[in-house]
Amino acid sequence: NVDLTHLEELLKTNPPSLVSLMHANNEIGNVLDLEVAGTICREYGAIFHSDTVQTMGHFRHDLQKLPVDFIVGAGHKFHGPKGVGFLYVNAEKRINPLIHGGSQERNMRGGTENIYGIIGIAKAMEIAYAQMDEHRKHIESLKSHMIDKLSQFEGVSFNGESGNLEKSLYTVLNVNFPPSAEADMFLFNLDINKISASGGSACTSGTNIGSHVLTELHTDPNSPAVRFSFSKYNTMEEIDYVIEKLTGILKG
C-alpha cells in the first residue's frame, strides 16, 4: 500500500512536485484513497495524476469533487473497444502538446481522430455507469465465492489486499499456490483446461524477470502466483469449474 505519511514528508521537502499514483494496482488489487492522496497533494501545491485505468468503469469518479488534476481510462477495461483511451485534464492546469501539427483534441494531439473508438468508448462508459451497482454486486459475489473455495486449499494465500473484499479492486484476485516442482507448468495446465488467467512470480532467474510487485512482497519464487480477473459476463458455474480443475491440478 502507498505510505501516505511518507508522501507528505516527500512533498514537504520537494516543492513543487508531480505525484503519479495508481488508483488500484493491476496485479494485486490494492486500492488507493484518491480523496486523501489528492487532498495531501493540494495542501503542498503538488500536481496529482492518477492511473485510474483499472478502476474506470468500475468505480465512480466525481470530478467535481475529487482533488485530482489528471486521470486516465482505457476502453478495454470496461468492455469498450480496444486501442482507445482518454486523459482527463483539470481545466485549471495547462500542459504542452506531446504531438504538434494539428488542431485535434483541442490542439493537444495532432492526428486523425479515431471516431469509431471515441463513440465506442463513450457508449461503453455510459453502460458501465448505468449498471455499475448491479454489476459490482454480481462480481463481488463471484470473487467472494472463489475466495471461500480457495481458502479450503492447504497452502493457498492471497497476495496484497486482493483477498480482502473491503480493501481491494473487486475485479481482481491474486493467488499464491503451494510451492511445487511443476510451478512453471501451472499456467499451461490452466490454459489447456480453457481457463484464461495471467501469471506472475517473483522469480528473477534466467529470462524469467517475474513480477516486480510480487518481488517487493517477498513471495516465494517457487509458488505459482496467478491473477484471476472477473467481469459482469462471468458466472458462478465458471468459478466452480475453475475450482474443480484447480483441485485436479494441485493433486496431480
Side-chain angles (χ1 to χ4, degrees), residues 55-76:
T55 57
M56 191 60 63
H58 302 289
F59 286 67
R60 298 185 187 277
H61 301 87
D62 185 348
L63 297 174
Q64 298 296 320
K65 300 176 181 178
L66 205 57
V68 297
D69 299 305
F70 308 99
I71 64 171
V72 291
H76 69 283

Side-chain angles (χ1 to χ4, degrees), residues 33-236:
D33 190 325
L34 288 185
E35 187 83 36
V36 175
T39 300
I40 294 171
C41 290
R42 289 277 166 91
E43 184 180 345
Y44 293 95
I47 294 173
F48 182 34
H49 160 267
S50 182
D51 174 357
T52 51
V53 167
Q54 287 292 331
T55 57
M56 191 60 63
H58 302 289
F59 286 67
R60 298 185 187 277
H61 301 87
D62 185 348
L63 297 174
Q64 298 296 320
K65 300 176 181 178
L66 205 57
V68 297
D69 299 305
F70 308 99
I71 64 171
V72 291
H76 69 283
K77 290 295 182 182
F78 47 92
H79 309 290
K82 294 182 180 180
V84 60
F86 63 85
L87 165 69
Y88 158 80
V89 182
N90 188 301
E92 297 177 3
K93 297 293 185 292
R94 294 180 62 86
I95 58 174
N96 294 320
L98 177 66
I99 298 175
H100 296 267
S103 60
Q104 292 89 350
E105 305 290 357
R106 299 181 184 180
N107 296 307
M108 292 304 300
R109 189 189 188 283
T112 303
E113 293 170 335
N114 175 10
I115 301 298
Y116 300 108
I118 293 168
I119 293 171
I121 194 174
K123 187 62 180 178
M125 178 69 81
E126 181 185 324
I127 293 170
Y129 263 73
Q131 303 172 359
M132 191 180 295
D133 295 339
E134 174 190 341
H135 292 158
R136 178 168 186 161
K137 185 178 180 181
H138 171 68
I139 296 168
E140 283 183 340
S141 70
L142 298 179
K143 181 175 176 177
S144 178
H145 183 62
M146 192 165 192
I147 290 172
D148 289 343
K149 292 292 184 181
L150 286 174
S151 297
Q152 297 172 22
F153 287 75
E154 186 177 350
V156 165
S157 60
F158 305 104
N159 291 315
E161 301 281 14
S162 69
N164 187 332
L165 281 175
E166 300 297 321
K167 294 185 177 181
S168 68
L169 181 62
Y170 60 89
T171 55
V172 167
L173 181 63
N174 197 300
V175 187
N176 247 7
F177 290 95
S180 165
E182 301 294 322
D184 291 343
M185 296 295 291
F186 204 88
L187 271 186
F188 174 76
N189 285 325
L190 289 176
D191 191 52
I192 61 176
N193 282 292
K194 297 182 171 54
I195 299 168
S196 298
S198 56
S201 70
C203 179
T204 54
S205 61
T207 56
N208 296 321
I209 302 301
S211 162
H212 68 280
V213 175
L214 297 182
T215 299
E216 291 297 325
L217 292 178
H218 306 293
T219 57
D220 186 340
N222 296 313
S223 297
V226 181
R227 185 190 73 164
F228 295 96
S229 300
F230 312 93
S231 85
K232 62 184 181 182
Y233 294 114
N234 289 125
T235 65
M236 203 65 80

